[in-house]
Amino acid sequence: MNLSQLLHAIKDMSSRGPQELVQLLQQLKVTEDSLRNQGQKVTEALAHLDPARESLGCLFFLHIVGNIGMPDHGSQQFLVAATRFLSSCDVEQIRLAPDKFVLLCRQVRDHAVALGSPKLAVSPLKDGLQKLAPTPEHVTPIHADFALSCLQAKHYNAAAVVLEQTILDVEPAKTSMKPTDLLLYCYYGGMIHIGRRKYPEALHMFVQGLTAPTFVVNAITIATYKKYALVSLIHSGSVTALPKFTPSSVSRFIKSEAQSYIDLASAYSSKKQQDLPNAIEKHQARFLEDGNLGLVKLVLAGRTKRAIQKLTQTFLTLSLADIAQQVGLETATEAEGYLLRMVDAGEIFAEIDASAGMVRFLEDPEQYTSTSAVQHLNATIQASFALAEKLQSINTQVSLDPAYVSKLYAKDKGDRFPEDPSDFDAEPQSLAYSFQDG
């Protein structure tokens, strides 16, 4: 089938039913290799396809066009065509080829980076992940690429809507999802939350990545734990223990691969103020190599803030000089700078008399009776109810799943009848367990 015939088939079969679309998919796969050698002709043919009505053919053609000139040169023309396609393509058609759709989205990111403007990929990739995901609660491979584009463009707020969506489902058959896609999404998502100074949300993302089921630990997991440890110190003053359901392989590797960060946490909790600066100096090369030196500096500043907050629980008034001495700062002026920033951020409540060099600590004026406080409380309660209903629904689905029921029955039978007399005559191969089918 030549290109002209294929173009005619795409237009004809795209308007028919699901069976014809499956047949079209097979034809596109068969002719794909020959189309790669006709890049310029495919580019010209692409202009004759409607992204909304002939999405499947358009997807394959765009993927071929996206490989032209890469990775050395990005194409503004390709980005315009791909952006239009991702915003208007037919969901049912593109979900027939999720792997190809994911590859196209990654081409969009690569072209935007090659053109020196990662921001160009943010909006198209957001459209792409919404098209591929069966529901908003599904995670797709495009989530990781979208988060990376937001990071590269330093466009953190653009990622907020996606990151705030609770993820409950992963369906590789429908989304072409791989384990590394989830790990990267959690890692990049956590970094975006750090950029937005939303440390609890960053910790939540990192925990999702660290507790993902695995038998083999990779570099993504180790990098995630290192940032998790630092953000824990910044947010709470200690490294929060990982949940009990964290894979044992992850727990083992942490001890051997993140020793510098374990030493930092120990120094943070030391009563000797100089232990933390000494630990930072000792492991500075490692922190710099990991790209975490900026977070380490925030850890040091965070301990100073935490020490000041403890003073507010003990004293009503205190001189700036005394504060500087007790928290390990060199001058009263430096202490005043910390206090002003903390008051401005709402981290403490105080009045500073700069002329007298004195500070008076105050109580939190918020009584939590305002309209905004009540609205926030109601929203939290409603979110809790919705989550409880979702968990109940998932529990019901799992309880009725045939595979789960059969395994539960087999386990129950094994507990009650640990030895089947017929097993003694069985061959060793027949007694082996196979977990390949889940």
Side-chain angles (χ1 to χ4, degrees):
M1 180 180 292
N2 59 37
L3 183 56
S4 178
Q5 292 172 328
L6 180 60
L7 193 61
H8 177 75
I10 291 172
K11 289 182 170 293
D12 180 50
M13 301 176 76
S14 295
S15 59
R16 299 189 183 184
Q19 291 184 349
E20 284 75 10
L21 285 173
V22 173
Q23 293 176 7
L24 175 60
L25 176 61
Q26 296 304 318
Q27 289 186 15
L28 289 167
K29 288 181 177 180
V30 169
T31 58
E32 188 173 13
D33 288 338
S34 64
L35 291 177
R36 288 196 185 99
N37 300 322
Q38 306 177 60
Q40 186 57 42
K41 291 183 178 180
V42 172
T43 302
E44 295 170 359
L46 181 61
H48 298 284
L49 294 178
D50 186 333
R53 291 198 298 267
E54 291 128 17
S55 301
L56 194 56
C58 197
L59 171 60
F60 274 76
F61 280 25
L62 265 174
H63 179 250
I64 292 171
V65 173
N67 285 325
I68 300 175
M70 290 297 288
D72 300 322
H73 306 286
S75 169
Q76 186 72 40
Q77 182 180 359
F78 167 78
L79 275 180
V80 171
T83 299
R84 177 169 171 252
F85 170 77
L86 291 173
S87 66
S88 61
C89 62
D90 179 69
V91 169
E92 299 303 323
Q93 291 191 38
I94 60 98
R95 288 180 183 172
L96 290 174
D99 53 341
K100 191 68 64 179
F101 189 75
V102 170
L103 289 175
L104 175 65
C105 289
R106 287 177 177 163
Q107 286 178 319
V108 169
R109 188 201 63 190
D110 292 341
H111 275 265
V113 171
L115 289 170
S117 184
K119 186 177 180 180
L120 294 174
V122 172
S123 181
L125 291 184
K126 184 178 179 181
D127 289 336
L129 68 87
Q130 291 173 341
K131 295 277 187 178
L132 185 60
T135 72
E137 295 172 344
H138 278 74
V139 63
T140 74
I142 308 170
H143 278 71
D145 295 290
F146 169 73
L148 177 57
S149 293
C150 291
L151 269 177
Q152 292 174 327
K154 297 183 179 180
H155 203 357
Y156 305 139
N157 289 333
V161 175
V162 174
L163 292 177
E164 289 168 3
Q165 174 63 54
T166 302
I167 297 298
L168 297 173
D169 290 306
V170 179
E171 293 192 62
K174 293 183 178 180
T175 64
S176 196
M177 189 80 177
K178 294 180 175 59
T180 52
D181 295 324
L182 176 63
L183 297 180
L184 286 172
Y185 175 57
C186 294
Y187 181 69
Y188 295 143
M191 290 179 67
I192 290 172
H193 282 310
I194 291 173
R196 302 178 69 213
R197 297 293 188 267
K198 292 184 174 293
Y199 298 125
E201 290 83 353
L203 290 172
H204 177 70
M205 291 291 291
F206 291 147
V207 167
Q208 283 187 311
L210 292 168
T211 57
T214 184
F215 293 106
V216 180
V217 178
N218 59 26
I220 305 170
T221 305
I222 298 302
T224 299
Y225 178 78
K226 291 175 178 179
K227 282 191 166 52
Y228 169 80
L230 295 176
V231 174
S232 289
L233 290 173
I234 294 170
H235 177 63
S236 62
S238 63
V239 179
T240 307
L242 292 171
K244 293 182 179 180
F245 51 84
T246 303
S248 58
S249 56
V250 173
S251 301
R252 288 196 305 269
F253 264 80
I254 285 170
K255 296 177 182 178
S256 60
E257 299 295 330
Q259 189 58 50
S260 302
Y261 296 82
I262 295 174
D263 292 347
L264 184 73
S266 298
Y268 189 102
S269 59
S270 173
K271 293 182 180 179
K272 298 180 180 179
Q273 292 182 350
Q274 195 56 34
D275 283 355
L276 183 58
N278 288 343
I280 293 174
E281 184 178 359
K282 177 182 177 181
H283 299 293
Q284 183 171 351
R286 167 57 61 186
F287 298 143
L288 184 62
E289 182 181 348
D290 292 340
N292 289 330
L293 190 57
L295 282 177
V296 170
K297 292 179 180 179
L298 289 178
V299 169
L300 181 60
R303 191 182 69 164
T304 301
K305 288 183 178 182
R306 201 167 298 278
I308 292 174
Q309 288 173 331
K310 287 183 179 180
L311 294 178
T312 68
Q313 301 169 9
T314 308
F315 300 95
L316 291 177
T317 59
L318 204 60
S319 70
L320 288 170
D322 287 339
I323 293 175
Q325 182 181 3
Q326 294 199 40
V327 302
L329 296 175
E330 294 183 359
T331 65
T333 302
E334 192 176 358
E336 183 180 4
Y338 265 93
L339 288 166
L340 289 172
R341 288 191 294 271
M342 292 177 71
V343 169
D344 187 57
E347 296 170 334
I348 61 170
F349 303 94
E351 291 180 350
I352 303 173
D353 186 345
S355 60
M358 296 297 295
V359 179
R360 185 163 72 94
F361 297 117
L362 308 173
E363 295 291 332
D364 183 354
E366 176 63 69
Q367 299 297 314
Y368 301 99
T369 56
S370 63
T371 303
S372 60
V374 173
Q375 289 176 343
H376 177 72
L377 179 61
N378 286 335
T380 303
I381 292 173
Q382 293 302 319
S384 299
F385 283 144
L387 180 59
E389 291 178 2
K390 183 63 180 179
L391 290 174
Q392 183 62 43
S393 174
I394 293 174
N395 182 61
T396 301
Q397 291 176 14
V398 172
S399 300
L400 298 177
D401 184 82
Y404 172 78
V405 172
S406 63
K407 287 186 178 182
L408 192 66
Y409 173 75
K411 182 179 183 302
D412 181 61
K413 182 180 178 181
D415 291 340
R416 289 185 288 112
F417 307 103
E419 292 183 353
D420 186 342
S422 64
D423 287 344
F424 289 106
D425 298 324
E427 294 293 329
Q429 291 85 350
S430 67
L431 299 177
Y433 289 96
S434 174
F435 297 98
Q436 294 180 358
D437 296 329

